[in-house]
Amino acid sequence: MDKIDWKPDPSSSIPLYQQIEGFMKEKITSGEWTVGMKLPSQRALAAAFQVNRSTLIMALEHLTSQGYIAGKSGGGTTIIHHQPERQWESPPPPNWNAYVEDGVHYPNLPTIQTINRMEFDPTMIRLGTGELSPELLPQEQVRLLFAELARQHMPLGYEEALGTYALRSQVSAHLQRVGISAPPSTILIVSGSLQAFQLISAGLLEKGSTMLLEKPSYLYSIHAFQSAGMKLIGLPMDESGLQVSHVERFKRQYDASLLYTIPTFHNPTGTVMSDKRRRDLLETSLRIGLPILEDGAYEELWFGHEAPPPPLRALDTQGQVLYVGTMSKIVSPGLRIGWVVGPQPVIERLADIKMQTDYGSSSLSQAAAAEWFGAGWHAEHCRTIRRQLKERRDCMLQLLDAHWSNLATWSTPQGGFYIWVTLHANISMAALFEHALKRGILINPGYIYDRSAKKQLRLSFAYAGLDEMERAMIELSILIRHIHCLSV
Amino acid sequence: MDKIDWKPDPSSSIPLYQQIEGFMKEKITSGEWTVGMKLPSQRALAAAFQVNRSTLIMALEHLTSQGYIAGKSGGGTTIIHHQPERQWESPPPPNWNAYVEDGVHYPNLPTIQTINRMEFDPTMIRLGTGELSPELLPQEQVRLLFAELARQHMPLGYEEALGTYALRSQVSAHLQRVGISAPPSTILIVSGSLQAFQLISAGLLEKGSTMLLEKPSYLYSIHAFQSAGMKLIGLPMDESGLQVSHVERFKRQYDASLLYTIPTFHNPTGTVMSDKRRRDLLETSLRIGLPILEDGAYEELWFGHEAPPPPLRALDTQGQVLYVGTMSKIVSPGLRIGWVVGPQPVIERLADIKMQTDYGSSSLSQAAAAEWFGAGWHAEHCRTIRRQLKERRDCMLQLLDAHWSNLATWSTPQGGFYIWVTLHANISMAALFEHALKRGILINPGYIYDRSAKKQLRLSFAYAGLDEMERAMIELSILIRHIHCLSV
Ligand SMILES: Cc1ncc(COP(=O)(O)O)c(C=O)c1O
Ligand SMILES: Cc1ncc(COP(=O)(O)O)c(C=O)c1O
């Protein structure tokens, strides 16, 4: 049930309880609130309507006596009919809630659902968000780009399954710069890299397949593969990335079909896989016949003087790496433009499923993305973003040093968005999440990325303003101490 | 394998067969052509390279002797190694073709794959295409709209799961005009209505569920539901739409969970469900507890003086209809913007899965769509489109009268894009499709929409130019006679 924005009007001549009764009846008879739906607790409802508990109870009793709702023995009130009692002769309308529970796709974790919702509360300080702060997005350039598009022929029709040729050739040239040769016929444009995972899970893997991946991993936080019936098996990492020495045994033990990796500025740990590891991983994967799905989301966001080692796909001479990239982490997540690079039959298979999924990505977004690369702004914009992200990282590290040094240890990322923090104390991360939320601070607990990461959290220095960061980091440090005191 | 655009250079000093050998080796060793892939026939390859068969065979023999390819006993040549023979000690790279065959999502029908591909061949006359001709799309308005967007704050970040509030309230107002009351909290923005089906199949239906639908139906031509393990059971139709009298028996017999319908200007038959049928269907569906999924894609495209009967959702007082709409058929398919309207818990469940699928629709597209409705162009544009579509329909009917009257019977649609044609003769539609294709004409055979519709085809008057239409209709009539003669 959505937040209830409506409140009874105390200056009205209609009693408050009747106003509430009327409001709720309207929601129920219109079908907006469905049969089977649970109402919030009496306390929560009374708070939402800003009335006394007794006023609320009067309204609920009226609705109960008319047969709309019923209290359940285990507590809680449920909507049971859409019509007043005398109309019950006709059977009740479909119980949508049963449908909602039946679907095969997993719901998001409650924590992630909360994060997804609260990120749109403008009062929140977002210390976990994996997204560039609006001030870092290329507003001005995109404005110019729109003005330019307004002068061109508008791409309003359905587009080619692989994506527009204009964008695929721009992406091809772009990839060349990170060492990946990919002709346009081996590139599929997707609506963000998340969609690529969805397509791969539907198009390339048998139900019940197993994927190896880093532990922790971004991929644990989405259900693309699990919902399609795949198993995810985490490989241990160290400061040089995933430990390749385990790959062969894991592949054998779990009969794995694919290995997913974020070799560069790994989400959530920030780790970069060393050059040697990359070559070892490729060699192993070739030897044991385990193809690789490489996620290059943060690849261009290095802070040092040198770029990180080349992507696996650049080292791959055998077509064993599927590579996924995105515009989300540097240019604009709202564009929803990403790409998959791979052998032609794979790309064509994925394109066919994409056609069945959404008939291709927004042609406006594709035109804007092609224009972006074509205008030659990318390299300069990357330099700006790197500089600014580095400043933000340094600020976050200073705050950690100043306020968290007795509380935790953390990584020092050389690129990307994230710092992976490990608390000393064994406090409940779910409690920290909840308490922080109440204070207007949104954090990403580690357990989203690895169920056993009970002492970790992922801090992002990409989103919040520097002032907000300071305020929130101090407040969090107090909270952690407080929760720790309560729990010992 | 993509069309091969490359040809050897006859003026080069390198022999043709060596050039071909080199070209193919490059494709194979780079992994662009994968192990397990079948090569086109020798005849097709020779034609593509514009060389004699003997030249081609020489190149293939060289590749065979080096261990790259092998002839199969059943005919056909397959790629077997990515490296020359002496490097075989290392095992071969992943056999991607096995992966391509393993995925759970069904591939499109070969006919549909061909259509999807050939629609981007600009020389084709597209007589089946379910899309407005580019000249009917509101190019000029969208240009203005872009110029306006260029003046505003650019929406570049990730967006709310339900879609932007701006667009949802515009859609809410838009729906009010067709009689549907839907507050923004009951609307989910999707990337075209096709995506809505994907989300519903993943989020609301158990594997193995059954859906009732019209026979024929657009839904048979996509695999959203079948790939998710659902069964589709077709209901007979007459000129007033699906025959409601069968619904109860079918629901019982197949234990159906949902009924999908396109009540207005049905795709592919053009039928409008009568007002009485609509009320009967609602009454039945309520009585037997079978919720409805209503597809309103062509709803606004009527040709007469009056709008068709109100949508089911407008008559639904019990929240038993999920309604799906789209911008594709009137404004722009390339926007990839549609919506689902339903009870809040259903919409929230679908929104959660949408977040897991692609993190929301393109924010550029959402901004453009909101701007479109906000600018107030919609009603006027609809009037223009209706007038022009009616002219096109009349033209198509005249052509049918003039050239097809001995060959077929057909419907006279009062709106939408399509005429459903039934041939007298029992000729192979697949053969007609292939022959038409060779002559540069793309048609949609009826069997795409109903496996048993062997004598039908769906003509669209929305896409091809009037000249093209005439040329193609005459040519098709000759083809039909010709194929008929050969087959008797
Ligand atoms: C590693 C990684 N891959 C992929 C994505 C998905 O991004 P998008 O779907 O916006 O391309 C993210 C976003 O958080 C990410 O961190
Ligand atoms: C009846 C019907 N519904 C839905 C669609 C899908 O359109 P879109 O995904 O572009 O909204 C079509 C397109 O052909 C259609 O004919």
Side-chain angles (χ1 to χ4, degrees):
Chain A
M1 194 175 294
D2 246 19
K3 236 181 54 218
I4 297 176
D5 291 330
W6 177 91
K7 286 175 201 40
D9 175 3
S11 66
S12 156
S13 63
I14 305 172
L16 291 179
Y17 83 88
Q18 277 186 14
Q19 293 184 49
I20 293 175
E21 184 189 333
F23 167 79
M24 293 179 70
K25 223 185 264 183
E26 224 280 310
K27 291 280 181 194
I28 297 172
T29 55
S30 70
E32 193 178 325
W33 291 0
T34 53
V35 167
M37 215 166 102
K38 271 187 72 168
L39 294 179
S41 68
Q42 293 185 355
R43 189 207 310 251
L45 279 175
F49 294 137
Q50 299 183 350
V51 296
N52 287 333
R53 187 92 167 256
S54 59
T55 307
L56 178 82
I57 288 175
M58 200 156 8
L60 293 181
E61 280 173 353
H62 277 242
L63 290 167
T64 307
S65 74
Q66 291 162 74
Y68 289 104
I69 61 175
K72 278 217 174 143
S73 56
T77 306
T78 305
I79 297 171
I80 56 166
H81 283 106
H82 269 249
Q83 296 168 309
E85 191 160 11
R86 63 191 144 63
Q87 291 179 33
W88 287 358
E89 297 92 63
S90 61
N95 181 345
W96 282 112
N97 274 40
Y99 283 79
V100 167
E101 282 152 23
D102 272 352
V104 288
H105 205 290
Y106 296 164
N108 263 315
L109 282 180
T111 305
I112 297 177
Q113 291 197 23
T114 307
I115 293 174
N116 285 344
R117 201 170 50 245
M118 297 313 290
E119 286 190 337
F120 293 93
D121 178 338
T123 65
M124 281 283 148
I125 299 185
R126 294 160 60 180
L127 230 46
T129 297
E131 185 180 346
L132 285 180
S133 166
E135 75 208 48
L136 299 185
L137 295 177
Q139 285 281 342
E140 265 322 302
Q141 286 101 316
V142 176
R143 211 183 293 276
L144 290 174
L145 189 157
F146 264 61
E148 178 55 35
L149 287 178
R151 276 190 288 275
Q152 297 177 5
H153 176 82
M154 285 294 128
L156 297 179
Y158 287 108
E159 292 289 351
E160 245 176 298
L162 291 178
T164 66
Y165 188 79
L167 178 54
R168 284 183 291 128
S169 32
Q170 291 292 349
V171 169
S172 175
H174 168 68
L175 288 170
Q176 198 69 61
R177 287 190 286 271
V178 287
I180 295 175
S181 323
S185 61
T186 62
I187 296 174
L188 170 69
I189 301 301
V190 286
S191 301
S193 41
L194 181 54
Q195 189 183 48
F197 305 140
Q198 207 72 44
L199 298 174
I200 290 166
S201 78
L204 297 184
L205 298 171
E206 260 179 297
K207 217 180 155 93
S209 301
T210 297
M211 262 172 81
L212 306 184
L213 74 175
E214 284 118 359
K215 178 184 158 102
S217 176
Y218 162 71
L219 208 64
Y220 278 110
S221 73
I222 60 176
H223 290 160
F225 290 96
Q226 289 105 311
S227 285
M230 318 290 160
K231 287 189 285 290
L232 302 186
I233 302 287
L235 286 161
M237 300 179 72
D238 59 27
E239 66 290 348
S240 308
L242 69 82
Q243 295 181 15
V244 175
S245 54
H246 295 292
V247 170
E248 182 166 4
R249 187 169 52 80
F250 272 63
K251 141 95 178 155
R252 215 172 334 106
Q253 186 168 344
Y254 299 102
D255 190 24
S257 313
L258 199 63
L259 183 148
Y260 169 83
T261 177
I262 313 167
T264 309
F265 312 129
H266 175 258
N267 178 359
T269 65
T271 312
V272 176
M273 193 188 290
S274 67
D275 194 50
K276 167 140 190 350
R277 268 298 155 82
R278 289 174 197 234
R279 291 172 201 271
D280 285 354
L281 178 58
L282 269 176
E283 184 276 317
T284 301
S285 104
L286 184 60
R287 185 163 47 74
I288 65 180
L290 179 69
I292 295 175
L293 173 56
E294 176 178 27
D295 186 336
Y298 301 93
E299 196 138 75
E300 293 179 283
L301 296 172
W302 67 85
F303 303 154
H305 295 292
E306 265 179 65
L312 294 161
R313 173 78 200 180
L315 305 171
D316 167 29
T317 54
Q318 316 282 321
Q320 66 182 325
V321 178
L322 283 187
Y323 176 90
V324 171
T326 178
M327 305 214 49
S328 293
K329 303 304 171 184
I330 306 192
V331 184
S332 158
L335 277 182
R336 309 308 306 130
I337 292 291
W339 41 86
V340 193
V341 175
Q344 246 187 46
V346 174
I347 292 304
E348 277 166 20
R349 166 80 170 133
L350 298 178
D352 183 48
I353 301 173
K354 168 119 173 107
M355 279 308 262
Q356 297 185 50
T357 304
D358 63 6
Y359 287 133
S361 296
S362 159
S363 50
L364 295 194
S365 283
Q366 293 192 65
E371 189 67 27
W372 167 265
F373 285 121
W377 287 320
H378 191 71
E380 177 59 30
H381 176 67
C382 280
R383 279 190 290 275
T384 312
I385 294 294
R386 279 179 209 133
R387 203 174 50 239
Q388 298 196 330
L389 280 175
K390 182 166 185 295
E391 274 174 27
R392 288 164 160 271
R393 177 205 62 177
D394 291 344
C395 168
M396 186 68 104
L397 288 173
Q398 270 168 19
L399 291 169
L400 282 163
D401 273 333
H403 307 287
W404 290 50
S405 52
N406 293 328
L407 297 176
T409 53
W410 52 86
S411 64
T412 300
Q414 302 305 314
F417 287 1
Y418 310 114
I419 298 179
W420 187 238
V421 176
T422 304
L423 297 184
H424 296 327
N426 216 337
I427 66 170
S428 153
M429 270 295 155
L432 182 61
F433 176 76
E434 288 297 337
H435 279 89
L437 198 62
K438 286 207 191 97
R439 281 170 179 74
I441 303 170
L442 207 50
I443 55 171
N444 284 26
Y447 59 72
I448 299 177
Y449 308 101
D450 169 8
R451 251 187 308 173
S452 64
K454 295 205 158 60
K455 300 170 77 172
Q456 275 79 9
L457 75 164
R458 183 189 88 174
L459 292 176
S460 159
F461 45 84
Y463 195 85
L466 297 187
D467 288 4
E468 290 183 330
M469 238 185 237
E470 173 160 19
R471 198 142 43 87
M473 289 297 289
I474 293 173
E475 186 133 21
L476 278 178
S477 73
I478 297 168
L479 260 183
I480 293 168
R481 283 200 183 84
H482 183 69
I483 298 174
H484 184 53
C485 280
L486 291 182
S487 62
V488 288
Chain B
M1 193 176 293
D2 247 18
K3 239 182 47 223
I4 298 176
D5 292 329
W6 178 90
K7 286 176 201 42
D9 176 4
S11 67
S12 156
S13 63
I14 305 172
L16 290 178
Y17 82 88
Q18 278 188 13
Q19 292 185 47
I20 294 176
E21 184 189 332
F23 167 80
M24 294 179 69
K25 222 186 267 184
E26 224 281 310
K27 293 280 180 191
I28 297 171
T29 53
S30 71
E32 194 178 324
W33 291 1
T34 53
V35 167
M37 215 167 106
K38 269 187 73 170
L39 294 179
S41 69
Q42 293 185 354
R43 190 207 310 252
L45 280 175
F49 294 137
Q50 299 183 351
V51 296
N52 287 334
R53 189 95 167 257
S54 59
T55 307
L56 178 82
I57 289 176
M58 198 154 16
L60 293 181
E61 279 173 355
H62 277 242
L63 291 166
T64 307
S65 72
Q66 290 163 75
Y68 290 104
I69 61 175
K72 277 213 178 150
S73 55
T77 306
T78 305
I79 297 171
I80 55 165
H81 283 108
H82 269 249
Q83 297 167 308
E85 190 162 12
R86 63 191 145 62
Q87 291 180 34
W88 289 357
E89 297 93 63
S90 58
N95 181 345
W96 283 112
N97 274 38
Y99 283 79
V100 166
E101 282 151 23
D102 271 351
V104 291
H105 204 290
Y106 295 164
N108 263 315
L109 283 180
T111 305
I112 297 177
Q113 291 196 22
T114 306
I115 293 174
N116 286 344
R117 200 171 51 243
M118 296 313 290
E119 285 190 339
F120 293 93
D121 178 338
T123 66
M124 282 283 147
I125 299 185
R126 294 159 59 179
L127 228 49
T129 298
E131 184 179 347
L132 286 180
S133 166
E135 75 209 48
L136 299 184
L137 296 175
Q139 285 281 342
E140 265 321 303
Q141 287 101 317
V142 176
R143 213 184 291 277
L144 290 173
L145 189 156
F146 264 60
E148 178 55 36
L149 286 178
R151 276 189 288 276
Q152 296 178 4
H153 177 83
M154 286 293 128
L156 297 180
Y158 287 109
E159 293 289 351
E160 246 177 297
L162 291 179
T164 66
Y165 188 80
L167 178 54
R168 284 184 290 127
S169 33
Q170 291 292 351
V171 169
S172 174
H174 169 68
L175 288 170
Q176 198 69 60
R177 287 189 288 270
V178 289
I180 295 175
S181 324
S185 61
T186 62
I187 296 174
L188 170 69
I189 300 301
V190 286
S191 302
S193 42
L194 181 55
Q195 189 183 47
F197 306 139
Q198 207 72 46
L199 297 174
I200 290 166
S201 78
L204 298 183
L205 298 170
E206 259 178 299
K207 216 180 156 89
S209 301
T210 297
M211 261 173 81
L212 306 184
L213 75 173
E214 285 118 358
K215 179 184 157 101
S217 176
Y218 162 71
L219 209 62
Y220 278 110
S221 74
I222 58 175
H223 290 159
F225 290 96
Q226 289 106 310
S227 286
M230 318 290 162
K231 286 188 287 291
L232 303 185
I233 303 287
L235 287 161
M237 300 180 72
D238 59 26
E239 65 290 349
S240 306
L242 69 83
Q243 295 181 15
V244 175
S245 54
H246 296 291
V247 170
E248 182 166 4
R249 188 170 51 82
F250 272 62
K251 141 96 178 154
R252 216 173 333 106
Q253 187 168 343
Y254 298 102
D255 189 23
S257 313
L258 199 62
L259 183 147
Y260 169 83
T261 177
I262 313 167
T264 309
F265 312 129
H266 175 257
N267 178 1
T269 67
T271 312
V272 176
M273 192 188 290
S274 69
D275 194 50
K276 165 140 192 348
R277 266 303 153 80
R278 288 173 199 236
R279 290 172 202 272
D280 286 354
L281 178 58
L282 269 175
E283 184 276 316
T284 301
S285 104
L286 185 60
R287 185 163 46 75
I288 65 179
L290 179 68
I292 295 175
L293 173 57
E294 177 178 26
D295 185 336
Y298 301 92
E299 197 138 75
E300 293 179 283
L301 295 172
W302 66 85
F303 303 154
H305 295 293
E306 266 179 64
L312 295 161
R313 173 78 202 181
L315 304 171
D316 167 29
T317 55
Q318 315 283 321
Q320 65 182 325
V321 178
L322 283 187
Y323 177 90
V324 171
T326 177
M327 306 213 53
S328 294
K329 302 305 171 183
I330 306 191
V331 184
S332 157
L335 278 182
R336 307 311 305 129
I337 292 292
W339 42 85
V340 193
V341 175
Q344 246 186 47
V346 175
I347 293 303
E348 278 165 19
R349 167 78 169 132
L350 297 179
D352 183 48
I353 300 173
K354 168 115 172 109
M355 281 306 264
Q356 297 185 51
T357 304
D358 63 6
Y359 288 133
S361 296
S362 159
S363 50
L364 295 193
S365 282
Q366 293 192 65
E371 189 67 27
W372 167 265
F373 285 121
W377 287 320
H378 191 71
E380 177 58 30
H381 175 68
C382 279
R383 279 191 289 275
T384 312
I385 294 294
R386 280 177 207 132
R387 203 173 51 238
Q388 300 196 329
L389 280 175
K390 182 165 184 296
E391 274 173 30
R392 288 165 160 269
R393 177 204 61 176
D394 291 344
C395 169
M396 186 68 104
L397 288 173
Q398 271 168 19
L399 291 170
L400 282 163
D401 273 333
H403 307 287
W404 290 50
S405 52
N406 293 327
L407 297 176
T409 54
W410 50 86
S411 63
T412 301
Q414 301 305 315
F417 288 0
Y418 310 113
I419 298 181
W420 186 238
V421 176
T422 305
L423 296 186
H424 297 325
N426 216 337
I427 66 171
S428 153
M429 272 295 157
L432 182 60
F433 175 77
E434 288 296 337
H435 279 88
L437 198 63
K438 285 207 193 98
R439 280 169 180 72
I441 303 169
L442 209 49
I443 56 172
N444 284 24
Y447 59 73
I448 298 177
Y449 308 101
D450 169 9
R451 251 187 308 171
S452 65
K454 294 205 161 58
K455 301 169 79 172
Q456 275 79 9
L457 73 166
R458 182 189 88 174
L459 291 177
S460 158
F461 45 84
Y463 195 86
L466 298 188
D467 289 2
E468 290 183 329
M469 237 186 236
E470 174 160 19
R471 197 141 44 88
M473 289 297 288
I474 294 174
E475 186 133 22
L476 279 177
S477 73
I478 298 170
L479 260 184
I480 293 168
R481 284 198 184 86
H482 183 69
I483 297 174
H484 184 53
C485 281
L486 291 181
S487 63
V488 289

